[in-house]
Amino acid sequence: MIRTAGRPDRHDSPWVTGTLMGGCCAAFLLGPVSGLNPAYGTGPALLSAQTAYFERWGVVPQELWHGPLPGLCTPLTALFVHGNWLHLLGNMLFLYVFGAMTEARMGRAAFACCYLLTGYLALLGYAAVHATSGRTLVGASGAISGVLGAFLYLFPRARVTSLFPFLFFLPLRFPAWAVLLFWFVLQWLATGTAAGQPGVAYLAHVLGFCLGFGFAWVLRTAAARVKGAARSTEGDKPT
């Protein structure tokens, strides 16, 4: 997916989206995973630093539930840690494409809350299902899946330009609801085949998507009720 079509409700710059992208990129470039920071050395020293980095800031399910209380902060810190360049760039592409319009429609504070809350709960939910796992979980995928779910609710009629490798990267335009639901089904199916195996945490994607959709629904429903209550009192006159 490379582009969306539609107009947001507001014209403010999406600085929350930009800040989140900047935070993820800074954490990656300054940490040992990028290999660009000479402070971490090279060879075995660099590999050791990378392992320690993931264990400190990532989510280790079996330590999350049986370790000290500060471990419950790791589902938040893990949102800014990525495993490699491809992992980082893929997540940032999705956040760039879908984040700006979602932030403009929701508002900055609500968007920031949606991103952090859905990301945290998605990783926490994954850790609860795989409570005995010792594998480290990192990445913003759960939060970005929340953005996708919110985008689907807020912009169901938007159109998304997609590139398909099996069609020689021919750009095609589809309704956002079709593309995102197709993506969601793929993630859902993958949760069964990837259960207990290392790799992509598809379950976190599914949880994040559902949480983001629900967050947007609650937010818009609450806003509609407030507006309705305001209109109902406009005609009241003091006696």
Side-chain angles (χ1 to χ4, degrees):
M1 300 161 206
I2 59 173
R3 186 166 62 89
T4 59
R7 294 187 301 173
D9 290 347
R10 305 174 186 179
H11 302 285
D12 297 336
S13 60
W15 68 266
V16 174
T17 299
T19 300
L20 291 171
M21 293 178 64
C24 289
C25 291
F28 184 81
L29 294 174
L30 297 177
V33 185
S34 68
L36 300 178
N37 191 337
Y40 293 102
T42 59
L46 179 60
L47 293 177
S48 177
Q50 291 174 350
T51 300
Y53 182 75
F54 289 140
E55 291 179 350
R56 179 178 181 181
W57 302 111
V59 178
V60 182
Q62 65 181 13
E63 296 180 4
L64 181 68
W65 303 113
H66 306 293
L69 186 61
L72 290 176
C73 295
T74 56
L76 185 61
T77 59
L79 297 178
F80 297 91
V81 179
H82 290 82
N84 52 53
W85 284 95
L86 185 60
H87 189 199
L88 173 71
L89 295 176
N91 277 344
M92 294 305 97
L93 175 62
F94 272 80
L95 181 55
Y96 172 77
V97 170
F98 293 97
M101 289 178 63
T102 306
E103 178 184 347
R105 179 65 61 88
M106 276 188 169
R108 290 170 176 171
F111 176 77
C113 183
C114 175
Y115 183 93
L116 296 174
L117 183 62
T118 59
Y120 182 93
L121 293 178
L123 296 186
L124 195 67
Y126 180 92
V129 174
H130 301 279
T132 60
S133 175
R135 299 190 181 98
T136 306
L137 181 65
V138 297
S141 302
I144 295 172
S145 298
V147 173
L148 298 184
F151 185 93
L152 176 61
Y153 181 83
L154 297 172
F155 299 98
R157 297 182 181 179
R159 300 188 70 82
V160 178
T161 301
S162 304
L163 296 177
F164 293 91
F166 57 86
L167 292 178
F168 304 101
F169 293 96
L170 179 67
L172 300 174
R173 290 174 61 78
F174 297 95
W177 66 265
V179 174
L180 293 178
L181 286 180
F182 177 72
W183 175 88
F184 176 79
V185 170
L186 290 180
Q187 306 305 303
W188 176 263
L189 294 176
T191 58
T193 59
Q197 300 179 8
V200 180
Y202 293 105
L203 178 60
H205 298 178
V206 171
L207 293 174
F209 189 90
C210 294
L211 289 168
F213 188 92
F215 186 97
W217 176 79
V218 170
L219 184 69
R220 299 294 281 189
T221 301
R225 288 178 177 174
V226 170
K227 290 180 180 178
R231 291 194 187 99
S232 66
T233 59
E234 285 178 356
D236 294 345
K237 298 181 180 179
T239 57

PDB file of all heavy atoms in Angstrom, residues 163-194:
ATOM      1  N   LEU A 163       0.338  -2.019  -4.431  1.00  0.00           N
ATOM      2  CA  LEU A 163       1.228  -2.658  -5.383  1.00  0.00           C
ATOM      3  C   LEU A 163       1.245  -4.154  -5.098  1.00  0.00           C
ATOM      4  O   LEU A 163       1.432  -4.571  -3.960  1.00  0.00           O
ATOM      5  CB  LEU A 163       2.648  -2.096  -5.264  1.00  0.00           C
ATOM      6  CG  LEU A 163       2.842  -0.616  -5.592  1.00  0.00           C
ATOM      7  CD1 LEU A 163       4.289  -0.219  -5.351  1.00  0.00           C
ATOM      8  CD2 LEU A 163       2.443  -0.315  -7.022  1.00  0.00           C
ATOM      9  N   PHE A 164       1.053  -4.969  -6.124  1.00  0.00           N
ATOM     10  CA  PHE A 164       1.016  -6.408  -5.972  1.00  0.00           C
ATOM     11  C   PHE A 164       2.181  -7.035  -6.739  1.00  0.00           C
ATOM     12  O   PHE A 164       2.241  -6.946  -7.969  1.00  0.00           O
ATOM     13  CB  PHE A 164      -0.306  -6.980  -6.497  1.00  0.00           C
ATOM     14  CG  PHE A 164      -1.489  -6.573  -5.666  1.00  0.00           C
ATOM     15  CD1 PHE A 164      -2.199  -5.416  -5.968  1.00  0.00           C
ATOM     16  CD2 PHE A 164      -1.872  -7.325  -4.573  1.00  0.00           C
ATOM     17  CE1 PHE A 164      -3.289  -5.037  -5.201  1.00  0.00           C
ATOM     18  CE2 PHE A 164      -2.956  -6.945  -3.797  1.00  0.00           C
ATOM     19  CZ  PHE A 164      -3.656  -5.801  -4.113  1.00  0.00           C
ATOM     20  N   PRO A 165       3.128  -7.679  -6.026  1.00  0.00           N
ATOM     21  CA  PRO A 165       4.283  -8.274  -6.705  1.00  0.00           C
ATOM     22  C   PRO A 165       3.900  -9.302  -7.764  1.00  0.00           C
ATOM     23  O   PRO A 165       4.534  -9.381  -8.808  1.00  0.00           O
ATOM     24  CB  PRO A 165       5.059  -8.930  -5.551  1.00  0.00           C
ATOM     25  CG  PRO A 165       4.642  -8.164  -4.335  1.00  0.00           C
ATOM     26  CD  PRO A 165       3.204  -7.792  -4.573  1.00  0.00           C
ATOM     27  N   PHE A 166       2.844 -10.108  -7.477  1.00  0.00           N
ATOM     28  CA  PHE A 166       2.468 -11.145  -8.437  1.00  0.00           C
ATOM     29  C   PHE A 166       1.789 -10.568  -9.670  1.00  0.00           C
ATOM     30  O   PHE A 166       1.529 -11.299 -10.624  1.00  0.00           O
ATOM     31  CB  PHE A 166       1.564 -12.189  -7.762  1.00  0.00           C
ATOM     32  CG  PHE A 166       0.306 -11.628  -7.144  1.00  0.00           C
ATOM     33  CD1 PHE A 166      -0.840 -11.457  -7.889  1.00  0.00           C
ATOM     34  CD2 PHE A 166       0.293 -11.267  -5.805  1.00  0.00           C
ATOM     35  CE1 PHE A 166      -1.988 -10.940  -7.318  1.00  0.00           C
ATOM     36  CE2 PHE A 166      -0.853 -10.757  -5.231  1.00  0.00           C
ATOM     37  CZ  PHE A 166      -1.988 -10.584  -5.988  1.00  0.00           C
ATOM     38  N   LEU A 167       1.502  -9.275  -9.662  1.00  0.00           N
ATOM     39  CA  LEU A 167       0.968  -8.599 -10.855  1.00  0.00           C
ATOM     40  C   LEU A 167       1.993  -7.599 -11.397  1.00  0.00           C
ATOM     41  O   LEU A 167       1.657  -6.577 -11.962  1.00  0.00           O
ATOM     42  CB  LEU A 167      -0.344  -7.877 -10.511  1.00  0.00           C
ATOM     43  CG  LEU A 167      -1.532  -8.767 -10.166  1.00  0.00           C
ATOM     44  CD1 LEU A 167      -2.737  -7.922  -9.798  1.00  0.00           C
ATOM     45  CD2 LEU A 167      -1.872  -9.692 -11.332  1.00  0.00           C
ATOM     46  N   PHE A 168       3.289  -7.950 -11.195  1.00  0.00           N
ATOM     47  CA  PHE A 168       4.388  -7.129 -11.707  1.00  0.00           C
ATOM     48  C   PHE A 168       4.345  -5.709 -11.127  1.00  0.00           C
ATOM     49  O   PHE A 168       4.654  -4.746 -11.813  1.00  0.00           O
ATOM     50  CB  PHE A 168       4.364  -7.082 -13.235  1.00  0.00           C
ATOM     51  CG  PHE A 168       4.396  -8.435 -13.882  1.00  0.00           C
ATOM     52  CD1 PHE A 168       3.232  -9.015 -14.370  1.00  0.00           C
ATOM     53  CD2 PHE A 168       5.585  -9.145 -13.962  1.00  0.00           C
ATOM     54  CE1 PHE A 168       3.259 -10.282 -14.954  1.00  0.00           C
ATOM     55  CE2 PHE A 168       5.611 -10.419 -14.540  1.00  0.00           C
ATOM     56  CZ  PHE A 168       4.452 -10.986 -15.036  1.00  0.00           C
ATOM     57  N   PHE A 169       3.935  -5.603  -9.846  1.00  0.00           N
ATOM     58  CA  PHE A 169       3.891  -4.334  -9.123  1.00  0.00           C
ATOM     59  C   PHE A 169       3.002  -3.305  -9.831  1.00  0.00           C
ATOM     60  O   PHE A 169       3.272  -2.113  -9.807  1.00  0.00           O
ATOM     61  CB  PHE A 169       5.302  -3.769  -8.941  1.00  0.00           C
ATOM     62  CG  PHE A 169       6.149  -4.614  -8.033  1.00  0.00           C
ATOM     63  CD1 PHE A 169       7.022  -5.556  -8.561  1.00  0.00           C
ATOM     64  CD2 PHE A 169       6.066  -4.480  -6.649  1.00  0.00           C
ATOM     65  CE1 PHE A 169       7.807  -6.343  -7.724  1.00  0.00           C
ATOM     66  CE2 PHE A 169       6.844  -5.261  -5.815  1.00  0.00           C
ATOM     67  CZ  PHE A 169       7.720  -6.199  -6.353  1.00  0.00           C
ATOM     68  N   LEU A 170       1.930  -3.801 -10.415  1.00  0.00           N
ATOM     69  CA  LEU A 170       0.976  -2.916 -11.066  1.00  0.00           C
ATOM     70  C   LEU A 170       0.171  -2.179  -9.993  1.00  0.00           C
ATOM     71  O   LEU A 170      -0.452  -2.812  -9.139  1.00  0.00           O
ATOM     72  CB  LEU A 170       0.025  -3.727 -11.962  1.00  0.00           C
ATOM     73  CG  LEU A 170      -1.065  -2.945 -12.704  1.00  0.00           C
ATOM     74  CD1 LEU A 170      -0.426  -2.035 -13.752  1.00  0.00           C
ATOM     75  CD2 LEU A 170      -2.057  -3.910 -13.356  1.00  0.00           C
ATOM     76  N   PRO A 171       0.149  -0.825  -9.998  1.00  0.00           N
ATOM     77  CA  PRO A 171      -0.616  -0.085  -8.988  1.00  0.00           C
ATOM     78  C   PRO A 171      -2.121  -0.175  -9.258  1.00  0.00           C
ATOM     79  O   PRO A 171      -2.591   0.141 -10.350  1.00  0.00           O
ATOM     80  CB  PRO A 171      -0.103   1.345  -9.136  1.00  0.00           C
ATOM     81  CG  PRO A 171       0.389   1.437 -10.541  1.00  0.00           C
ATOM     82  CD  PRO A 171       0.908   0.072 -10.892  1.00  0.00           C
ATOM     83  N   LEU A 172      -2.856  -0.627  -8.276  1.00  0.00           N
ATOM     84  CA  LEU A 172      -4.305  -0.763  -8.388  1.00  0.00           C
ATOM     85  C   LEU A 172      -4.955  -0.061  -7.209  1.00  0.00           C
ATOM     86  O   LEU A 172      -4.407  -0.028  -6.100  1.00  0.00           O
ATOM     87  CB  LEU A 172      -4.717  -2.242  -8.407  1.00  0.00           C
ATOM     88  CG  LEU A 172      -4.146  -3.088  -9.554  1.00  0.00           C
ATOM     89  CD1 LEU A 172      -4.526  -4.544  -9.358  1.00  0.00           C
ATOM     90  CD2 LEU A 172      -4.648  -2.587 -10.904  1.00  0.00           C
ATOM     91  N   ARG A 173      -6.146   0.481  -7.421  1.00  0.00           N
ATOM     92  CA  ARG A 173      -6.866   1.207  -6.382  1.00  0.00           C
ATOM     93  C   ARG A 173      -8.081   0.408  -5.926  1.00  0.00           C
ATOM     94  O   ARG A 173      -8.863  -0.069  -6.751  1.00  0.00           O
ATOM     95  CB  ARG A 173      -7.295   2.590  -6.886  1.00  0.00           C
ATOM     96  CG  ARG A 173      -6.118   3.534  -7.078  1.00  0.00           C
ATOM     97  CD  ARG A 173      -6.558   4.846  -7.724  1.00  0.00           C
ATOM     98  NE  ARG A 173      -7.518   5.566  -6.915  1.00  0.00           N
ATOM     99  CZ  ARG A 173      -7.199   6.276  -5.846  1.00  0.00           C
ATOM    100  NH1 ARG A 173      -5.942   6.351  -5.454  1.00  0.00           N
ATOM    101  NH2 ARG A 173      -8.110   6.925  -5.162  1.00  0.00           N
ATOM    102  N   PHE A 174      -8.204   0.273  -4.599  1.00  0.00           N
ATOM    103  CA  PHE A 174      -9.302  -0.478  -4.010  1.00  0.00           C
ATOM    104  C   PHE A 174      -9.879   0.323  -2.843  1.00  0.00           C
ATOM    105  O   PHE A 174      -9.192   1.159  -2.260  1.00  0.00           O
ATOM    106  CB  PHE A 174      -8.818  -1.838  -3.485  1.00  0.00           C
ATOM    107  CG  PHE A 174      -8.296  -2.756  -4.541  1.00  0.00           C
ATOM    108  CD1 PHE A 174      -6.940  -2.819  -4.812  1.00  0.00           C
ATOM    109  CD2 PHE A 174      -9.155  -3.561  -5.268  1.00  0.00           C
ATOM    110  CE1 PHE A 174      -6.445  -3.671  -5.777  1.00  0.00           C
ATOM    111  CE2 PHE A 174      -8.683  -4.412  -6.231  1.00  0.00           C
ATOM    112  CZ  PHE A 174      -7.321  -4.470  -6.492  1.00  0.00           C
ATOM    113  N   PRO A 175     -11.122   0.055  -2.471  1.00  0.00           N
ATOM    114  CA  PRO A 175     -11.669   0.676  -1.253  1.00  0.00           C
ATOM    115  C   PRO A 175     -10.859   0.251  -0.038  1.00  0.00           C
ATOM    116  O   PRO A 175     -10.413  -0.900   0.054  1.00  0.00           O
ATOM    117  CB  PRO A 175     -13.101   0.126  -1.196  1.00  0.00           C
ATOM    118  CG  PRO A 175     -13.407  -0.306  -2.588  1.00  0.00           C
ATOM    119  CD  PRO A 175     -12.116  -0.763  -3.177  1.00  0.00           C
ATOM    120  N   ALA A 176     -10.683   1.171   0.891  1.00  0.00           N
ATOM    121  CA  ALA A 176      -9.888   0.868   2.084  1.00  0.00           C
ATOM    122  C   ALA A 176     -10.464  -0.312   2.852  1.00  0.00           C
ATOM    123  O   ALA A 176      -9.715  -1.142   3.375  1.00  0.00           O
ATOM    124  CB  ALA A 176      -9.813   2.103   2.979  1.00  0.00           C
ATOM    125  N   TRP A 177     -11.803  -0.409   2.925  1.00  0.00           N
ATOM    126  CA  TRP A 177     -12.401  -1.492   3.689  1.00  0.00           C
ATOM    127  C   TRP A 177     -12.027  -2.852   3.100  1.00  0.00           C
ATOM    128  O   TRP A 177     -11.791  -3.813   3.845  1.00  0.00           O
ATOM    129  CB  TRP A 177     -13.917  -1.344   3.765  1.00  0.00           C
ATOM    130  CG  TRP A 177     -14.644  -1.485   2.454  1.00  0.00           C
ATOM    131  CD1 TRP A 177     -15.024  -0.488   1.614  1.00  0.00           C
ATOM    132  CD2 TRP A 177     -15.076  -2.711   1.841  1.00  0.00           C
ATOM    133  NE1 TRP A 177     -15.648  -0.994   0.509  1.00  0.00           N
ATOM    134  CE2 TRP A 177     -15.696  -2.359   0.621  1.00  0.00           C
ATOM    135  CE3 TRP A 177     -14.980  -4.053   2.197  1.00  0.00           C
ATOM    136  CZ2 TRP A 177     -16.225  -3.317  -0.246  1.00  0.00           C
ATOM    137  CZ3 TRP A 177     -15.507  -5.013   1.327  1.00  0.00           C
ATOM    138  CH2 TRP A 177     -16.124  -4.638   0.130  1.00  0.00           C
ATOM    139  N   ALA A 178     -11.929  -2.943   1.779  1.00  0.00           N
ATOM    140  CA  ALA A 178     -11.592  -4.214   1.151  1.00  0.00           C
ATOM    141  C   ALA A 178     -10.134  -4.590   1.423  1.00  0.00           C
ATOM    142  O   ALA A 178      -9.815  -5.735   1.764  1.00  0.00           O
ATOM    143  CB  ALA A 178     -11.850  -4.142  -0.356  1.00  0.00           C
ATOM    144  N   VAL A 179      -9.236  -3.605   1.292  1.00  0.00           N
ATOM    145  CA  VAL A 179      -7.812  -3.870   1.500  1.00  0.00           C
ATOM    146  C   VAL A 179      -7.527  -4.225   2.958  1.00  0.00           C
ATOM    147  O   VAL A 179      -6.826  -5.202   3.250  1.00  0.00           O
ATOM    148  CB  VAL A 179      -6.979  -2.651   1.072  1.00  0.00           C
ATOM    149  CG1 VAL A 179      -5.513  -2.848   1.419  1.00  0.00           C
ATOM    150  CG2 VAL A 179      -7.130  -2.400  -0.421  1.00  0.00           C
ATOM    151  N   LEU A 180      -8.087  -3.451   3.879  1.00  0.00           N
ATOM    152  CA  LEU A 180      -7.784  -3.663   5.289  1.00  0.00           C
ATOM    153  C   LEU A 180      -8.439  -4.936   5.829  1.00  0.00           C
ATOM    154  O   LEU A 180      -7.839  -5.643   6.649  1.00  0.00           O
ATOM    155  CB  LEU A 180      -8.223  -2.447   6.106  1.00  0.00           C
ATOM    156  CG  LEU A 180      -7.418  -1.174   5.816  1.00  0.00           C
ATOM    157  CD1 LEU A 180      -7.950  -0.007   6.638  1.00  0.00           C
ATOM    158  CD2 LEU A 180      -5.941  -1.378   6.098  1.00  0.00           C
ATOM    159  N   LEU A 181      -9.636  -5.237   5.383  1.00  0.00           N
ATOM    160  CA  LEU A 181     -10.261  -6.489   5.815  1.00  0.00           C
ATOM    161  C   LEU A 181      -9.523  -7.697   5.246  1.00  0.00           C
ATOM    162  O   LEU A 181      -9.385  -8.728   5.914  1.00  0.00           O
ATOM    163  CB  LEU A 181     -11.731  -6.519   5.398  1.00  0.00           C
ATOM    164  CG  LEU A 181     -12.669  -5.612   6.210  1.00  0.00           C
ATOM    165  CD1 LEU A 181     -14.098  -5.732   5.706  1.00  0.00           C
ATOM    166  CD2 LEU A 181     -12.613  -5.961   7.699  1.00  0.00           C
ATOM    167  N   PHE A 182      -9.036  -7.578   4.015  1.00  0.00           N
ATOM    168  CA  PHE A 182      -8.227  -8.648   3.424  1.00  0.00           C
ATOM    169  C   PHE A 182      -6.954  -8.839   4.235  1.00  0.00           C
ATOM    170  O   PHE A 182      -6.561  -9.969   4.549  1.00  0.00           O
ATOM    171  CB  PHE A 182      -7.885  -8.297   1.975  1.00  0.00           C
ATOM    172  CG  PHE A 182      -6.994  -9.305   1.305  1.00  0.00           C
ATOM    173  CD1 PHE A 182      -7.476 -10.549   0.938  1.00  0.00           C
ATOM    174  CD2 PHE A 182      -5.667  -8.995   1.040  1.00  0.00           C
ATOM    175  CE1 PHE A 182      -6.642 -11.480   0.324  1.00  0.00           C
ATOM    176  CE2 PHE A 182      -4.835  -9.913   0.429  1.00  0.00           C
ATOM    177  CZ  PHE A 182      -5.323 -11.159   0.065  1.00  0.00           C
ATOM    178  N   TRP A 183      -6.314  -7.734   4.621  1.00  0.00           N
ATOM    179  CA  TRP A 183      -5.111  -7.809   5.457  1.00  0.00           C
ATOM    180  C   TRP A 183      -5.436  -8.454   6.801  1.00  0.00           C
ATOM    181  O   TRP A 183      -4.677  -9.307   7.285  1.00  0.00           O
ATOM    182  CB  TRP A 183      -4.558  -6.399   5.666  1.00  0.00           C
ATOM    183  CG  TRP A 183      -3.391  -6.329   6.604  1.00  0.00           C
ATOM    184  CD1 TRP A 183      -2.074  -6.463   6.288  1.00  0.00           C
ATOM    185  CD2 TRP A 183      -3.438  -6.115   8.024  1.00  0.00           C
ATOM    186  NE1 TRP A 183      -1.298  -6.336   7.416  1.00  0.00           N
ATOM    187  CE2 TRP A 183      -2.102  -6.118   8.487  1.00  0.00           C
ATOM    188  CE3 TRP A 183      -4.475  -5.904   8.930  1.00  0.00           C
ATOM    189  CZ2 TRP A 183      -1.793  -5.933   9.828  1.00  0.00           C
ATOM    190  CZ3 TRP A 183      -4.158  -5.722  10.259  1.00  0.00           C
ATOM    191  CH2 TRP A 183      -2.830  -5.742  10.709  1.00  0.00           C
ATOM    192  N   PHE A 184      -6.557  -8.063   7.397  1.00  0.00           N
ATOM    193  CA  PHE A 184      -6.936  -8.612   8.696  1.00  0.00           C
ATOM    194  C   PHE A 184      -7.160 -10.118   8.611  1.00  0.00           C
ATOM    195  O   PHE A 184      -6.715 -10.877   9.482  1.00  0.00           O
ATOM    196  CB  PHE A 184      -8.209  -7.926   9.199  1.00  0.00           C
ATOM    197  CG  PHE A 184      -8.741  -8.501  10.487  1.00  0.00           C
ATOM    198  CD1 PHE A 184      -8.175  -8.156  11.701  1.00  0.00           C
ATOM    199  CD2 PHE A 184      -9.800  -9.394  10.487  1.00  0.00           C
ATOM    200  CE1 PHE A 184      -8.652  -8.687  12.897  1.00  0.00           C
ATOM    201  CE2 PHE A 184     -10.285  -9.928  11.666  1.00  0.00           C
ATOM    202  CZ  PHE A 184      -9.706  -9.576  12.877  1.00  0.00           C
ATOM    203  N   VAL A 185      -7.836 -10.581   7.577  1.00  0.00           N
ATOM    204  CA  VAL A 185      -8.087 -12.014   7.408  1.00  0.00           C
ATOM    205  C   VAL A 185      -6.768 -12.774   7.278  1.00  0.00           C
ATOM    206  O   VAL A 185      -6.597 -13.860   7.850  1.00  0.00           O
ATOM    207  CB  VAL A 185      -8.996 -12.264   6.188  1.00  0.00           C
ATOM    208  CG1 VAL A 185      -9.062 -13.755   5.860  1.00  0.00           C
ATOM    209  CG2 VAL A 185     -10.396 -11.724   6.456  1.00  0.00           C
ATOM    210  N   LEU A 186      -5.819 -12.224   6.533  1.00  0.00           N
ATOM    211  CA  LEU A 186      -4.508 -12.858   6.392  1.00  0.00           C
ATOM    212  C   LEU A 186      -3.819 -12.984   7.748  1.00  0.00           C
ATOM    213  O   LEU A 186      -3.215 -14.022   8.059  1.00  0.00           O
ATOM    214  CB  LEU A 186      -3.632 -12.061   5.434  1.00  0.00           C
ATOM    215  CG  LEU A 186      -4.019 -12.088   3.953  1.00  0.00           C
ATOM    216  CD1 LEU A 186      -3.043 -11.255   3.141  1.00  0.00           C
ATOM    217  CD2 LEU A 186      -4.062 -13.521   3.418  1.00  0.00           C
ATOM    218  N   GLN A 187      -3.896 -11.927   8.563  1.00  0.00           N
ATOM    219  CA  GLN A 187      -3.276 -11.972   9.890  1.00  0.00           C
ATOM    220  C   GLN A 187      -3.971 -13.013  10.769  1.00  0.00           C
ATOM    221  O   GLN A 187      -3.312 -13.741  11.523  1.00  0.00           O
ATOM    222  CB  GLN A 187      -3.340 -10.596  10.567  1.00  0.00           C
ATOM    223  CG  GLN A 187      -2.759  -9.455   9.763  1.00  0.00           C
ATOM    224  CD  GLN A 187      -1.336  -9.693   9.330  1.00  0.00           C
ATOM    225  OE1 GLN A 187      -0.458  -9.927  10.147  1.00  0.00           O
ATOM    226  NE2 GLN A 187      -1.096  -9.639   8.026  1.00  0.00           N
ATOM    227  N   TRP A 188      -5.295 -13.054  10.674  1.00  0.00           N
ATOM    228  CA  TRP A 188      -6.064 -14.004  11.476  1.00  0.00           C
ATOM    229  C   TRP A 188      -5.715 -15.445  11.105  1.00  0.00           C
ATOM    230  O   TRP A 188      -5.507 -16.294  11.979  1.00  0.00           O
ATOM    231  CB  TRP A 188      -7.549 -13.754  11.289  1.00  0.00           C
ATOM    232  CG  TRP A 188      -8.420 -14.746  11.990  1.00  0.00           C
ATOM    233  CD1 TRP A 188      -9.007 -15.854  11.450  1.00  0.00           C
ATOM    234  CD2 TRP A 188      -8.786 -14.754  13.367  1.00  0.00           C
ATOM    235  NE1 TRP A 188      -9.711 -16.544  12.405  1.00  0.00           N
ATOM    236  CE2 TRP A 188      -9.592 -15.885  13.593  1.00  0.00           C
ATOM    237  CE3 TRP A 188      -8.517 -13.886  14.428  1.00  0.00           C
ATOM    238  CZ2 TRP A 188     -10.120 -16.177  14.834  1.00  0.00           C
ATOM    239  CZ3 TRP A 188      -9.042 -14.181  15.678  1.00  0.00           C
ATOM    240  CH2 TRP A 188      -9.839 -15.315  15.873  1.00  0.00           C
ATOM    241  N   LEU A 189      -5.632 -15.729   9.819  1.00  0.00           N
ATOM    242  CA  LEU A 189      -5.280 -17.075   9.369  1.00  0.00           C
ATOM    243  C   LEU A 189      -3.858 -17.437   9.774  1.00  0.00           C
ATOM    244  O   LEU A 189      -3.573 -18.591  10.094  1.00  0.00           O
ATOM    245  CB  LEU A 189      -5.440 -17.179   7.853  1.00  0.00           C
ATOM    246  CG  LEU A 189      -6.875 -17.046   7.319  1.00  0.00           C
ATOM    247  CD1 LEU A 189      -6.876 -17.058   5.793  1.00  0.00           C
ATOM    248  CD2 LEU A 189      -7.772 -18.153   7.862  1.00  0.00           C
ATOM    249  N   ALA A 190      -2.984 -16.457   9.765  1.00  0.00           N
ATOM    250  CA  ALA A 190      -1.584 -16.720  10.099  1.00  0.00           C
ATOM    251  C   ALA A 190      -1.381 -17.024  11.577  1.00  0.00           C
ATOM    252  O   ALA A 190      -0.389 -17.650  11.945  1.00  0.00           O
ATOM    253  CB  ALA A 190      -0.708 -15.534   9.694  1.00  0.00           C
ATOM    254  N   THR A 191      -2.307 -16.570  12.426  1.00  0.00           N
ATOM    255  CA  THR A 191      -2.149 -16.842  13.860  1.00  0.00           C
ATOM    256  C   THR A 191      -2.174 -18.339  14.140  1.00  0.00           C
ATOM    257  O   THR A 191      -1.503 -18.812  15.066  1.00  0.00           O
ATOM    258  CB  THR A 191      -3.267 -16.172  14.683  1.00  0.00           C
ATOM    259  OG1 THR A 191      -4.553 -16.642  14.232  1.00  0.00           O
ATOM    260  CG2 THR A 191      -3.196 -14.660  14.549  1.00  0.00           C
ATOM    261  N   GLY A 192      -2.930 -19.093  13.353  1.00  0.00           N
ATOM    262  CA  GLY A 192      -2.993 -20.539  13.550  1.00  0.00           C
ATOM    263  C   GLY A 192      -1.739 -21.250  13.081  1.00  0.00           C
ATOM    264  O   GLY A 192      -1.239 -22.158  13.741  1.00  0.00           O
ATOM    265  N   THR A 193      -1.197 -20.833  11.946  1.00  0.00           N
ATOM    266  CA  THR A 193      -0.017 -21.497  11.392  1.00  0.00           C
ATOM    267  C   THR A 193       1.262 -21.105  12.113  1.00  0.00           C
ATOM    268  O   THR A 193       2.234 -21.848  12.098  1.00  0.00           O
ATOM    269  CB  THR A 193       0.138 -21.155   9.904  1.00  0.00           C
ATOM    270  OG1 THR A 193       0.268 -19.731   9.753  1.00  0.00           O
ATOM    271  CG2 THR A 193      -1.083 -21.613   9.114  1.00  0.00           C
ATOM    272  N   ALA A 194       1.259 -19.926  12.760  1.00  0.00           N
ATOM    273  CA  ALA A 194       2.481 -19.446  13.413  1.00  0.00           C
ATOM    274  C   ALA A 194       2.479 -19.681  14.913  1.00  0.00           C
ATOM    275  O   ALA A 194       3.381 -19.224  15.606  1.00  0.00           O
ATOM    276  CB  ALA A 194       2.659 -17.948  13.137  1.00  0.00           C
TER     277      ALA A 194
END
